[in-house]
Amino acid sequence: MEEHEIKEGLEFAILTNVIHEEWSGVSIKEHKNLKGLKSQNLRDHMSEAELIFTALAELSTASLLRVARQQAWKKTK
């Protein structure tokens, strides 16, 4: 069970980074470096626009995933 949790955490981190790179053009690590952050949370140091872009990117990804799951489920019927 612990291996599955670790895999989920890693997959979530990878997906989060991909989503971030798509809207920002840089990885989360690069964005933190640009802002001079070490261990601080990037979102706590984002501008209002950056937070909006992040939310929109995550929302669209979640919506696309929901549609893909529904289509896959319909194919199994």
Side-chain angles (χ1 to χ4, degrees):
M1 174 123 182
E2 286 182 24
E3 287 179 20
H4 184 64
E5 291 171 10
I6 291 170
K7 185 178 178 187
E8 282 182 0
L10 178 60
E11 289 173 352
F12 180 78
I14 291 168
L15 178 59
T16 301
N17 198 56
V18 168
I19 293 169
H20 189 85
E21 281 188 59
E22 286 300 315
W23 76 260
S24 70
V26 295
S27 69
I28 292 172
K29 184 176 182 177
E30 291 168 329
H31 200 164
K32 286 179 80 168
N33 286 337
L34 288 171
K35 291 187 174 277
L37 304 175
K38 300 277 186 229
S39 61
Q40 301 96 323
N41 186 320
L42 178 59
R43 287 183 192 232
D44 291 343
H45 298 273
M46 285 183 168
S47 69
E48 191 172 295
E50 289 171 325
L51 290 168
I52 290 169
F53 287 132
T54 298
L56 287 172
E58 291 171 350
L59 179 63
S60 19
T61 301
S63 295
L64 290 171
L65 181 58
R66 214 174 358 266
V67 169
R69 284 183 179 164
Q70 288 172 352
Q71 290 174 348
W73 186 78
K74 286 178 183 177
K75 287 181 182 179
T76 62
K77 284 183 152 185

